[in-house]
Amino acid sequence: MKPSRPATASRHGPPRPRPSASFVAVLALGLAVLALGATGLAVTSCTADADKPASGQRVTQLPDPGDAIDERLMLSLSLAKNFHHIAKVYMTDGNLDEATAAVQQILSIDFPPGAPEGEDVRLDAHAMLAKLLVARGKLEDAMTVVDRGIASASRDSFFLANLHTVKGEVYEAQAAVALDDGAPDAEARARELRHTAITAYTRSNEINEALQKRLVEEPR
Amino acid sequence: MSSPDDPDLRDLPEDDDAFDPGPVPGPDDEPSPAERARARAFGELLDKVVAGRAPAAMPAEDRPLVEAATVIRAATGRAELSTARRDALVESALARAMDRLGGTGPAPTGEPEHRGGAGGGGAPVIPLASRAWRRRAPWLVAAVSTTAAVAAALLLMLRPARAPIPAAPVATAAPLPLEQRSRPADPMIGAISREHSGDAAARIDAIFADRLDGFRAHTLAPPSRRGSP
């Protein structure tokens, strides 16, 4: 009986081991998973960009109502309203000092930045404060308050026009004081102050007319 | 008989046949009477085997020679099966094929049982084609998967550049009504006459009341009616 040839013997060099069935099955499964992943990636990349806006902004995003009336504005207006009524009560009582202090409190109210109502209320408070200072005989302080208020205005408004009117009143008060001063040039100085007052009143009228015209032309 | 000095017979053994003692004759030597007798007896034995009348017993040294002669005769095509034997083999093959397709018919008479079933206790027959598919299936799955992966990669690389889609406009509800927005108080107050220059309290009351209405409308109304700026 011939001796059997070893299974690994080969006439062309060392034999190549044949892959087992389990190895082939695992290899096939791995390739299948790889193929599924690649296919999914391709499909996703081909379809995901289609529905996405370029800027990434959400379609359902609502704009921020930045100029809506909010609690902060209402609180500021409420404070201003109460300070005005406090000043009115003190004026009724003849207590102009407390009335002045109450109106000064309005100038320190922290209105929302850029709120038009804040500028209007402050200009009106400057006018009221100047009137109180005039009533108290503090004409220089009144003019300072008026000038500060006019300088703070960012736009023309009826409140700015009113402040120019108050400025004219301050000039008239200064002219009256100049007449009572008894100085040699009192008459000339009083006349000059009254003309300056006319300039302030004229400026107030210009603002009022321009605003009235703009309001009539603007659609409501 | 050849001489031992003959160069053709120099390498031959002196005695290579246990049943024919003596020196090995040369190729050109005349056969001996004993050789002739043995050749004649072997020829008669072959004739009996070919005729189907093989003797029940034969010398041991003749058996491999008879088998070799039978194979040589069959290889030359001179051996033919008898009609009965041939028909039996054909019927056996047909019956085996029919049993594999759908039935368990009786095995042909005289043929061994090759199939599994109630009669045979062997393992069930597995078609060769099924075995081949089972062996090739993993490779087929691997090939299809690789093809799909390559196709997906090519699709990913070769797809045309998509033009950027312009940003969708932001959905805007109805604009925020004017009364709900912070705005100058000029239209409501109007020009301030000199007589009313000091009525700041009345003006702030009017402004507060108006803005309070707008604030309530903005904060208390349902979202669908609030609008947007």
Side-chain angles (χ1 to χ4, degrees):
Chain A
M1 183 178 178
K2 288 182 181 178
S4 63
R5 192 164 50 182
T8 57
S10 173
R11 123 180 6 175
H12 302 293
R16 289 179 299 177
R18 298 189 62 180
S20 64
S22 60
F23 171 75
V24 173
V26 170
L27 178 65
L29 185 62
L31 287 174
V33 171
L34 192 65
L36 282 176
T39 307
L41 180 65
V43 171
T44 302
S45 64
C46 288
T47 58
D49 297 339
D51 304 329
K52 193 183 296 180
S55 67
Q57 192 176 22
R58 288 184 294 129
V59 176
T60 57
Q61 181 180 4
L62 291 175
D64 181 23
D67 60 348
I69 299 173
D70 56 3
E71 295 178 356
R72 184 179 175 185
L73 176 61
M74 292 310 300
L75 176 62
S76 301
L77 291 175
S78 176
L79 290 174
K81 182 171 80 78
N82 289 336
F83 282 127
H84 270 298
H85 282 279
I86 291 172
K88 190 175 181 180
V89 171
Y90 280 126
M91 281 189 290
T92 304
D93 292 344
N95 191 346
L96 299 182
D97 291 344
E98 292 298 332
T100 303
V103 175
Q104 281 179 331
Q105 294 287 327
I106 298 173
L107 299 180
S108 62
I109 294 174
D110 186 21
F111 279 89
E117 292 92 339
E119 182 174 324
D120 293 343
V121 169
R122 282 199 195 97
L123 290 177
D124 219 5
H126 277 95
M128 190 65 198
L129 182 59
K131 280 178 167 293
L132 285 171
L133 291 173
V134 167
R136 294 167 60 189
K138 297 183 176 181
L139 301 183
E140 294 298 324
D141 291 343
M143 186 59 73
T144 301
V145 168
V146 167
D147 287 339
R148 193 189 308 154
I150 291 174
S152 68
S154 63
R155 56 182 170 82
D156 288 344
S157 66
F158 292 130
F159 299 92
L160 180 62
N162 181 49
L163 198 53
H164 279 286
T165 300
V166 173
K167 185 175 184 178
E169 292 175 355
V170 174
Y171 277 128
E172 285 195 90
Q174 287 177 341
V177 170
L179 280 178
D180 295 340
D181 195 11
D185 60 342
E187 184 64 30
R189 176 158 175 75
R191 188 182 307 114
E192 182 186 355
L193 288 172
R194 284 195 293 269
H195 281 279
T196 308
I198 291 173
T199 304
Y201 292 139
T202 303
R203 176 64 183 144
S204 176
N205 288 340
E206 289 174 353
I207 294 173
N208 282 333
E209 289 176 359
L211 277 177
Q212 290 283 12
K213 185 177 179 181
R214 193 188 310 167
L215 289 176
V216 170
E217 292 175 352
E218 278 184 356
R220 296 298 300 269
Chain B
M1 296 292 283
S2 63
S3 167
D5 297 333
D6 191 343
D8 297 333
L9 304 176
R10 191 174 301 157
D11 297 333
L12 292 177
E14 289 293 329
D15 185 8
D16 64 343
D17 192 349
F19 299 97
D20 189 10
V24 177
D28 297 331
D29 292 347
E30 288 292 326
S32 63
E35 287 179 327
R36 290 180 182 278
R38 287 185 54 196
R40 190 179 305 110
F42 185 70
E44 293 174 354
L45 177 62
L46 282 180
D47 290 341
K48 291 179 180 176
V49 170
V50 169
R53 295 182 285 104
M58 66 178 66
E61 66 273 15
D62 289 344
R63 184 172 296 279
L65 295 177
V66 169
E67 290 177 355
T70 305
V71 169
I72 290 171
R73 183 172 179 275
T76 57
R78 293 178 181 174
E80 290 184 359
L81 295 175
S82 64
T83 303
R85 177 65 176 165
R86 187 175 56 204
D87 293 344
L89 287 176
V90 170
E91 288 180 3
S92 171
L94 290 175
R96 195 178 305 137
M98 292 176 66
D99 288 347
R100 186 174 300 161
L101 287 177
T104 54
T109 306
E111 290 299 316
E113 189 79 22
H114 288 291
R115 64 183 181 275
V125 177
I126 299 175
L128 292 178
S130 175
R131 285 185 180 176
W133 274 108
R134 187 174 301 176
R135 193 169 59 249
R136 293 171 187 164
W139 293 106
L140 286 175
V141 172
V144 171
S145 304
T146 305
T147 305
V150 170
L154 289 176
L155 177 65
L156 193 63
M157 289 188 297
L158 300 179
R159 67 192 177 108
R162 191 187 299 272
I165 301 174
V170 176
T172 55
L176 192 66
L178 186 64
E179 60 270 18
Q180 298 180 18
R181 303 160 78 172
S182 174
R183 62 193 187 279
D186 296 307
M188 181 181 59
I189 299 300
I192 302 171
S193 63
R194 189 172 178 179
E195 304 82 56
H196 297 93
S197 177
D199 293 342
R203 287 192 289 272
I204 190 65
D205 283 345
I207 294 172
F208 180 83
D210 181 81
R211 298 304 186 264
L212 184 60
D213 288 342
F215 175 72
R216 284 175 174 167
H218 180 68
T219 56
L220 301 180
S224 60
R225 297 180 58 187
R226 284 183 197 170
S228 63

